[in-house]
Amino acid sequence: MKTRVLIIVSLVLTATLLAVPSQTSAGGFPAVTETRILGHSVQGRPIRAWRLGDPNASRKAVIVSTMHGNEDDTYLILNELRGGDPIRGIDVWVVPKYNPDGYARRSRKNARGVDLNRNYPHGWRDLDGNYESGPRAISEPETRAMMRFLDEIKPRYLISFHQPLHGVDLDTKSNYLARKLIWHLKLPGKRFTCGGVCHGTMTSWYNYKHPGNAITVEYGQSPSRWHLTRRAPDQLLKVLTARR
Ligand SMILES: [Zn+2]
């Protein structure tokens, strides 16, 4: 008899725990509805993504920072969104530190010396030096992890934050998205030619393969912490027609 009571009590407890909504169970962050490890870097560091906002919203966005490990200031914007109030109006994933090995070494490249933003398959070329593109397209685990993720999510908007060129890339698929970014983030529109070596980039691959719009946004060399944590997060939500 005692055993039967115990079983019933534990069943009720389990049902109660399962009934707790995911919005309050994701590490105490009310904006977070899901966390995920997209894959691992060359040195085995996890590449983490956090899902914020409304998982049922039809519009989806992915926002990536620190693809180049020494361009990491903008992760503060994504950290701030993750730690803030629930976001409404969009289903948005943030990847604050896409290149964790580069970040750990303060390097543009990953641990094998590859520029991840030259390792994607669309227009890949064998580049050396500062833009080392790897032995072949998709040679790096970080590239494979992000491609898998983006192929699954298929966001309408993919925003990739870099530094220090201070501007929104006008050489892109959606003038509408570029104009919204210029307006709300208060950054100038620019054409980033990459010195003629814009081959195998993440945004060009995504724009080619998927109907959604991928765009590069560059902040300056040293944007202030105050701006990145107090102004930029809500400016970015306005770009996405979302609020919190
Ligand atoms: Zn960059």
Side-chain angles (χ1 to χ4, degrees), residues 149-169:
F149 177 61
L150 294 172
D151 281 341
E152 179 201 325
I153 304 294
K154 300 181 182 66
R156 186 183 298 186
Y157 306 120
L158 169 61
I159 297 171
S160 181
F161 281 131
H162 289 259
Q163 288 170 264
L165 300 177
H166 188 68
V168 174
D169 191 4

Side-chain angles (χ1 to χ4, degrees), residues 183-204:
W183 177 259
H184 290 295
L185 300 187
K186 318 282 185 219
L187 290 169
K190 290 183 179 175
R191 289 187 189 279
F192 300 128
T193 62
C194 326
V197 287
C198 280
H199 303 293
T201 65
M202 179 178 73
T203 50
S204 67

Side-chain angles (χ1 to χ4, degrees), residues 2-170:
K2 264 187 180 171
T3 313
R4 190 179 295 173
V5 169
L6 268 177
I7 289 171
I8 290 169
V9 167
S10 60
L11 280 174
V12 168
L13 271 175
T14 308
T16 309
L17 285 172
L18 287 174
V20 173
S22 62
Q23 291 221 345
T24 57
S25 63
F29 294 125
V32 176
T33 59
E34 188 180 341
T35 62
R36 213 190 268 197
I37 291 175
L38 307 187
H40 291 82
S41 66
V42 168
Q43 293 182 325
R45 292 186 173 91
I47 300 167
R48 298 181 191 280
W50 282 266
R51 189 180 197 176
L52 317 176
D54 177 5
N56 298 314
S58 59
R59 295 182 314 123
K60 295 181 190 302
V62 172
I63 308 171
V64 177
S65 174
T66 319
M67 181 178 205
H68 292 139
N70 57 350
E71 301 169 11
D72 61 307
D73 287 330
T74 56
Y75 93 88
L76 288 170
I77 305 174
L78 306 187
N79 255 16
E80 185 68 21
L81 287 174
R82 184 188 63 184
D85 289 333
I87 293 168
R88 298 182 179 82
I90 197 157
D91 181 18
V92 57
W93 288 85
V94 297
V95 184
K97 284 181 185 161
Y98 173 27
N99 177 3
D101 291 354
Y103 174 74
R105 292 161 41 247
R106 308 297 304 152
S107 163
R108 172 183 179 87
K109 302 169 185 175
N110 76 350
R112 278 203 286 248
V114 176
D115 181 343
L116 297 178
N117 209 24
R118 300 293 182 276
N119 192 237
Y120 281 70
H122 181 65
W124 183 89
R125 299 240 187 114
D126 186 5
L127 304 169
D128 301 318
N130 201 35
Y131 304 109
E132 170 60 56
S133 56
R136 63 192 173 282
I138 328 176
S139 59
E140 304 308 300
E142 295 92 342
T143 311
R144 291 192 289 276
M146 185 60 80
M147 287 175 68
R148 247 191 340 261
F149 177 61
L150 294 172
D151 281 341
E152 179 201 325
I153 304 294
K154 300 181 182 66
R156 186 183 298 186
Y157 306 120
L158 169 61
I159 297 171
S160 181
F161 281 131
H162 289 259
Q163 288 170 264
L165 300 177
H166 188 68
V168 174
D169 191 4
L170 290 175

